[in-house]
Amino acid sequence: MKTVFAALNAKYIHINLALRSIGAYCSKHNPVIREYTINDNVDSIISSLHYEKADVIAFSCYIWNIEKILYISQCLKKVNPSLVIIFGGHEVSHDSAELMGESEWIDYVIRGEGEKPMLALLDRISSGKNCSDVPSLTYRFGEDIVQNPLCDAGNLNEYPFAYDDTICDFKGKIVYYESSRGCPFNCSYCLSGDNRRVSYLELDRVKKELLFFIHNNVPLVKFVDRTFNADKKRAYEIFRFIIEHSKNTRFHFELAGNLIDDETIELLKTAPEGLIQFEIGVQSTNPDTINEIGRNIDFDSVRNNVIELMKLNNIHIHLDLIAGLPYEGYDSFVRSFDDVIKLRPHVLQLGFLKLLKGSRLRNQREKFGYKFKEKAPYEVMENDFISFDEIIKLKGIEDTLEKFYNSGDFSRSMDFLFEKISSPFAIFERIYDYYTQNGLFDRAVSLEMRYDILEQVFLYDGFSDCVKADRLTNKKAKMPYENEKEFKEQCFEFLKNDKNIQKYLPHHIGRAPRIIYKRLRFEKMFGGVYLYESQNDTLIDITEDF
């Protein structure tokens, strides 16, 4: 019996951990793993899976791929009615009977954790036995659709490591890793903390598996643990281990910001720059919102911890906000935005609430007047607190945030504007207004044009020099370099002075001025003269000696 596990990932750089975890547990059936992306040609995916000539195809279903998987699986079943189609994953775990009633080509749905049910199901299919005792299974029995009871949550230590030597084939991709499953919190918009039970891998095993990634020079390992530091001592030990064994692999963690303690911050001071990335979900700073969604996180504590982490200058910090939560109107969201971005994280992700199947908030949708898209990803359109017009505007502001803040291409300009404008949200709102008035959301806007746009939107004295410095030091940007004759002559006089070379450019000692000049840029800005050397990415103030 040939079995294929298939997934449509959101991006090419992603790897589907679920398929590999379940595949490793079901290794005796030798499942073939086939991964595509939601951007791949659908007909090509259908052809590829058809040519596998599989007896069973199991699909990993999430909000980003469910519509395409439904279509692909239906097409495959039409040309091969004997093909067994299995669905699993978050997206089909909460309405499996309804889904199978609407989609007659689906033979089985596995709800919740998939390792044990999938192995049991494949055993029954391969032996021709009845599957009525397979836990967590939804299946057809004559004209009826039957749902078996969910199996107990498994112990992660029962499951084998998801990766093997083929990891060397994943160059340029993110490797996902699970050292715990479940979440001790029960946020109303999320499914991870349904029973607040957390299963942890034994620390010795975690260390062994992390060394596997390090020794194989995996570029980035992203922990999928929903709240990595729920057990602070365990988190500390893993941080200590990766710092001690740091090499070329970077690690990404999702943390609860209020659970970061002083001892951990002291340890993180010793981490090599770039080794560790943190994603911290704030979601809102409105106390009524936080209380309603059940996060129970004190923002003052989060703020203080993020400030301390940012001071370290060695860890990439990513903070999250969600628009569309209960009691969070437009003005309240602006306050949350300002509270969070004033911490100056490297990235601020502005997400939009999705009413996931099975989530408590979806079940409360009438209480808060939610209107949302009926098809995945079930994104909120409006509720009693925020209108659709305001959601649309926030979508545009999210786009400007990505381009002008999260990109890192305008750091000096942003520093200037944050000092000048009391509400950082207003910065992106003004850029949004300019884009809207000039129809720029509907056309391609180059990086060079974005620098010009900033200078047109913000007319503060000295601001254009910040924009120039950002543009000058950005290797992705193009900037004309044509100095007038008199200034060019002054530059050569500067380079002819050995004392200047020794002071500012010792690595160019012995080179002719004309050779050095070709490797530098001299610019008048900030009331003085600066030189920039792209090779060393240095911008130096030489005013006093020019």
Side-chain angles (χ1 to χ4, degrees):
M1 180 180 81
K2 183 175 181 180
T3 300
V4 172
F5 288 174
L8 274 65
N9 300 326
K11 296 180 180 179
Y12 172 77
I13 61 172
H14 295 171
I15 290 173
N16 190 292
L17 175 60
L19 293 192
R20 286 173 172 76
S21 297
I22 298 172
Y25 192 73
C26 300
S27 60
K28 74 176 188 178
H29 291 283
N30 297 311
V32 175
I33 292 177
R34 293 289 178 259
E35 293 182 85
Y36 310 91
T37 79
I38 56 175
N39 297 313
D40 290 342
N41 180 276
V42 172
D43 287 338
S44 295
I45 298 172
I46 293 170
S47 299
S48 172
L49 289 174
H50 174 70
Y51 284 130
E52 291 289 342
K53 303 302 179 185
D55 301 292
V56 177
I57 300 182
F59 290 94
S60 178
C61 303
Y62 294 89
I63 54 176
W64 59 81
N65 63 22
I66 184 62
E67 298 300 329
K68 289 190 175 182
I69 284 177
L70 283 167
Y71 177 73
I72 290 167
S73 59
Q74 182 185 34
C75 291
L76 291 169
K77 191 77 165 185
K78 280 184 177 180
V79 295
N80 183 9
S82 65
L83 175 65
V84 176
I85 299 286
I86 305 171
F87 277 21
H90 277 307
E91 178 55 22
V92 296
S93 289
H94 298 276
D95 66 344
S96 56
E98 179 182 349
L99 176 69
M100 289 184 67
E102 297 170 349
S103 312
E104 69 278 1
W105 62 92
I106 302 173
D107 297 293
Y108 303 101
V109 173
I110 292 176
R111 312 186 314 278
E113 291 191 1
E115 285 89 349
K116 291 181 179 179
M118 180 64 78
L119 179 58
L121 178 59
L122 294 180
D123 285 345
R124 304 301 187 279
I125 294 173
S126 63
S127 62
K129 293 182 180 178
N130 189 293
C131 64
S132 60
D133 63 339
V134 175
S136 304
L137 189 68
T138 303
Y139 63 100
R140 302 180 190 280
F141 186 76
E143 296 296 318
D144 297 324
I145 296 173
V146 180
Q147 286 187 298
N148 289 346
L150 286 171
C151 66
D152 294 333
N155 181 332
L156 273 186
N157 294 286
E158 301 176 50
Y159 307 143
F161 186 42
Y163 298 101
D164 55 28
D165 291 341
T166 59
I167 201 164
C168 296
D169 299 332
F170 302 155
K171 292 180 180 178
K173 295 191 176 186
I174 300 171
V175 170
Y176 294 88
Y177 179 67
E178 184 179 45
S179 78
S180 67
R181 184 177 293 182
C183 183
F185 304 108
N186 189 22
C187 301
S188 62
Y189 54 83
C190 183
L191 302 175
S192 297
D194 283 352
N195 56 19
R196 300 200 182 193
R197 178 184 179 276
V198 184
S199 174
Y200 292 101
L201 276 183
E202 294 175 353
L203 262 177
D204 286 345
R205 175 174 166 181
V206 172
K207 293 175 181 179
K208 179 180 177 182
E209 292 172 353
L210 294 182
L211 281 178
F212 174 84
F213 296 134
I214 293 169
H215 291 159
N216 280 281
N217 289 310
V218 173
L220 177 62
V221 174
K222 189 168 184 177
F223 278 68
V224 298
D225 305 39
R226 301 312 300 164
T227 306
F228 176 76
N229 61 336
D231 183 333
K232 291 190 283 187
K233 290 184 178 180
R234 182 176 184 275
Y236 180 95
E237 180 58 25
I238 292 174
F239 291 146
R240 186 200 62 75
F241 182 82
I242 64 172
I243 291 171
E244 181 180 324
H245 293 85
S246 62
K247 191 179 175 185
N248 300 316
T249 304
R250 294 172 293 130
F251 296 90
H252 181 104
F253 304 89
E254 293 187 30
L255 304 184
N258 60 312
L259 298 180
I260 302 168
D261 56 25
D262 293 341
E263 185 181 12
T264 297
I265 291 175
E266 284 299 312
L267 171 68
L268 294 172
K269 287 180 180 178
T270 67
E273 183 177 355
L275 174 68
I276 294 172
Q277 303 174 2
F278 286 159
E279 182 173 348
I280 299 172
V282 180
Q283 320 313 9
S284 171
T285 64
N286 182 326
D288 292 333
T289 300
I290 293 299
N291 182 63
E292 178 60 43
I293 63 178
R295 276 189 72 75
N296 299 318
I297 291 177
D298 174 45
F299 179 65
D300 287 338
S301 175
V302 175
R303 177 195 287 116
N304 294 336
N305 287 335
V306 170
I307 289 172
E308 292 304 311
L309 289 173
M310 291 298 297
K311 287 179 183 177
L312 302 183
N313 289 320
N314 61 348
I315 294 175
H316 184 87
I317 305 295
H318 177 147
L319 302 182
D320 296 340
L321 284 174
I322 297 178
L325 293 170
Y327 304 116
E328 185 90 279
Y330 188 86
D331 291 341
S332 172
F333 186 81
V334 170
R335 289 191 292 273
S336 291
F337 184 100
D338 284 346
D339 287 340
V340 174
I341 203 167
K342 283 179 179 178
L343 300 176
R344 299 308 303 274
H346 301 100
V347 171
L348 171 58
Q349 179 172 304
L350 198 172
F352 293 84
L353 180 65
K354 299 168 180 60
L355 292 189
L356 303 178
K357 292 178 181 179
S359 67
R360 191 166 76 253
L361 198 51
R362 181 167 175 139
N363 296 332
Q364 295 175 318
R365 56 190 179 274
E366 293 181 3
K367 175 182 176 181
F368 301 112
Y370 273 109
K371 295 178 183 177
F372 63 100
K373 296 173 183 176
E374 295 297 323
K375 289 190 175 182
Y378 316 113
E379 196 167 88
V380 165
M381 301 173 71
E382 66 178 17
N383 59 28
D384 290 340
F385 312 99
I386 194 166
S387 69
F388 188 42
D389 287 341
E390 291 167 333
I391 288 286
I392 291 173
K393 183 173 182 179
L394 289 179
K395 286 271 188 179
I397 287 172
E398 177 204 18
D399 187 67
T400 65
L401 179 72
E402 286 295 318
K403 288 182 170 68
F404 289 89
Y405 184 86
N406 292 341
S407 68
D409 293 326
F410 306 88
S411 57
R412 292 177 180 85
S413 303
M414 288 295 117
D415 286 342
F416 182 99
L417 295 174
F418 272 65
E419 289 292 325
K420 280 284 184 182
I421 300 173
S422 59
S423 169
F425 185 86
I427 298 170
F428 305 98
E429 196 169 41
R430 285 168 65 175
I431 299 171
Y432 165 84
D433 289 340
Y434 184 92
Y435 265 63
T436 302
Q437 292 161 11
N438 293 277
L440 298 180
F441 283 118
D442 300 320
R443 53 180 285 200
V445 178
S446 69
L447 179 58
E448 287 73 26
M449 288 177 64
R450 286 178 222 152
Y451 286 111
D452 294 338
I453 287 168
L454 273 188
E455 290 195 71
Q456 293 172 46
V457 173
F458 302 100
L459 303 176
Y460 299 107
D461 289 341
F463 180 63
S464 62
D465 283 341
C466 292
V467 176
K468 179 189 280 189
D470 278 332
R471 188 169 180 172
L472 177 67
T473 56
N474 189 341
K475 295 179 181 179
K476 297 178 292 183
K478 298 176 181 178
M479 183 173 169
Y481 187 43
E482 296 179 1
N483 288 324
E484 67 270 16
K485 183 179 179 181
E486 182 180 352
F487 182 64
K488 188 174 181 179
E489 289 174 353
Q490 290 176 310
C491 295
F492 271 98
E493 289 300 317
F494 174 87
L495 294 175
K496 289 176 183 178
N497 189 321
D498 290 340
K499 290 183 179 179
N500 291 335
I501 302 300
Q502 290 173 359
K503 181 177 179 179
Y504 298 105
L505 303 163
H507 50 291
H508 285 300
I509 290 175
R511 290 194 174 122
R514 62 182 178 81
I515 300 297
I516 303 174
Y517 183 80
K518 290 180 180 180
R519 302 187 183 191
L520 306 175
R521 289 189 62 146
F522 289 80
E523 292 288 345
K524 296 177 182 178
M525 53 189 178
F526 304 119
V529 179
Y530 287 72
L531 65 81
Y532 175 68
E533 187 171 20
S534 60
Q535 181 179 354
N536 299 317
D537 196 26
T538 53
L539 185 66
I540 306 172
D541 181 358
I542 61 170
T543 308
E544 67 177 7
D545 292 306
F546 193 79

